[in-house]
Amino acid sequence: MKPVAFDHDCPVTLEEAARLIARPGARPIAGGQSLGPMLNFRVARPDHLVALAALAGLTGVEDTAQVITLGAATCHAAIEDGRVPDLPGGVLSRIAGGIAYRAVRNRGTIGGSLCHADPGADWLITLTALDASVLTWTPSGGRMIPLAGFVTGAFRTVLAAGEIVQAVHIPRPGPGFGWGYVKACRKPGEFAHAMAALLVDPARGVRRLVIGATGGAPVLLQGVRADPACVGDALAGSGLGRVERRMQAVVAARALAQATNGRVMPA
Amino acid sequence: MTRVTLTINERTRGADIAPRTSLADLLRDTHLLTGTHLGCEHGVCGACTILLDGAPVRSCITGAVACAGRSVRTIEGLAEDAVVAELRAAFTAEHALQCGYCTPGMLVTARDIVLRLPGADEARVRLELAGNLCRCTGYGGIVRAILRVLDARRGEAAPVRPAPLPAARFAPRLRDTGAGTGVMDPATGAPVAAPDAGPDGAPDRMRQVLMLDVPADQVWAAVRDPVLVVECVPGARLLSRQDDRLVGEMRVSLGPIQAAFGGEATVEYRTDAMSGRLVCRGQDQASGTRLSGEAEFHVIPDGAERCRLEMDMRYALRGPLAQFGRGPVVQVFATEIARTVGASLQARLRGEAAPAPPARLGAGRLMVRIVWRALKRLVSFRHDG
């Protein structure tokens, strides 16, 4: 189907973009790989689309010993192709390479994916496990919001009107960290029916398990609760049925096996 | 109309188009480049895949306005391309097409595989082709054709590694832990749990129990008053009522998703048991999404001053919205609405101001508006007790 009629604004400064997206009926769009289908199905009917992907303030990367910061408009394919700094073992590249299809990864952006807040989105689940934050921009300064507190429910975030996600702040885990990410899809590239990401970071005493593809925000389990055995209970209020909860426990166990690679790691 | 100028197949082309125009429609309708095929128009089938600045993209979900100043290459512009020439010959030799509808998108994707992944084996080729659907061939011929070209090119120069993205500086900012972490109760702001799905794991059934600090007979009287109940639905507005017939429409918004359901409903009441049954059916005209549901409700006294309102619901969502509102999402959202209705009902019965957030479910900037609107379908209530 064709989308409803809307205006399509292409601001060139962050100030202009912030003003335009704050209007009633306005919707920001980055790569549009999730919003595009919603527009074509007419389940999204904005009055104004405001293009953010070409804004200079949302591009580029910053790499330090502690943190990788990626501009929000960085597309998945650039991360997949190693055009940005990565964590040891190509963690980010592998996540990016598993998102949808290459033609989608060439357009879709890391910031747009987080802001869309689909409960089944790869970056939302994995970056929450990696304890990443978004850096937002507003005319008065902006803030740093940990992803664990960023999403309030399916397709909803804590962003204020006119607040723009400018970059994604990904802390580097300590030496010898373990990482696992497993999702259950019937076909490569489809939305997952169950997904689990697990960070085991003994040097920092951190253990974070995140369950996705629920009815709402990612479910974060930390410390001793970051264990596949706790998944069933943790999902009691997730809107998932018994079969789905079982699938979630299975992918969590596989993520744990990946992260620990057979080793026993302290909780 | 918006003026858009871009490079198409190495020629500068300008056009005045509606801002909603997709790149695919610009190519096909304005420039008559009909080799770009439209299959699903929602980014799943891959038939519309073209090259944007050299990289494959879905032209059906790429806005034409966003491509201003950029370079597009369609299947027509690849007629003289050396890799596509090899692929064409291989597609012919391996019977890699039948009806040909998917072929332009297949060739663009296949060219990308050959150039980007010269070492790809069969498993990798199949994985990379997952985003291009073919309903004729079963993919065997397509996979063999691509492998044939890959084999023929083995030993040629490795692809150039793409350049790193430029460095930038992002100023540090104050940490704000946000208010997210799950579904928020609209009345209290506290996280709430959704009910479990049915015992068989079916996501289309749910049970909702509202604890109300109001005597049962008052709640029962309220439940019997459709006007009052409708007013308790977040943002709900009843536009007209003729005897037992109520007319309205319900507008729902969840993040970017919007729907305006017009519907009809029948309610049966069993006064002696303080229970009843609601059957409703509605449609969102713009997307064609259909919603139908049944709810058994039961008011159960809990002492003289309190009661429980129990609801067992079953619903079906069919059409476009169901593609995005996957089962658990719909269920959690329905729970949020039910809790808001309960809080609002209780407040009204106790003569308190209704809690503010019917118009605002969740803690985000994205309002959840639920407004009955437009008179599209009749809502009729039948009393039998």
Side-chain angles (χ1 to χ4, degrees), chain A residues 2-3 43 45 118 152 236, chain B residues 20 41 182 196 258 284 326:
Chain A
K2 310 303 177 197
V43 300
R45 306 158 194 173
D118 190 306
T152 55
Chain B
R20 67 171 172 169
E41 284 197 300
D196 288 349
Q258 291 165 290
D284 172 48
R326 296 180 292 279

Side-chain angles (χ1 to χ4, degrees), chain A residues 154-195:
Chain A
F155 306 113
R156 285 166 289 171
T157 70
V158 298
L159 287 174
E163 188 172 19
I164 295 171
V165 169
Q166 189 181 12
V168 184
H169 175 277
I170 306 166
R172 290 182 176 276
F177 77 96
W179 171 252
Y181 177 43
V182 177
K183 50 181 180 170
C185 304
R186 275 189 287 195
K187 168 181 178 291
E190 269 196 343
F191 276 109
H193 297 270
M195 52 205 308

Side-chain angles (χ1 to χ4, degrees), chain B residues 167-178:
Chain B
R169 287 277 297 152
F170 297 100
R173 20 221 116 162
L174 287 176
R175 191 176 156 93
D176 179 338
T177 52

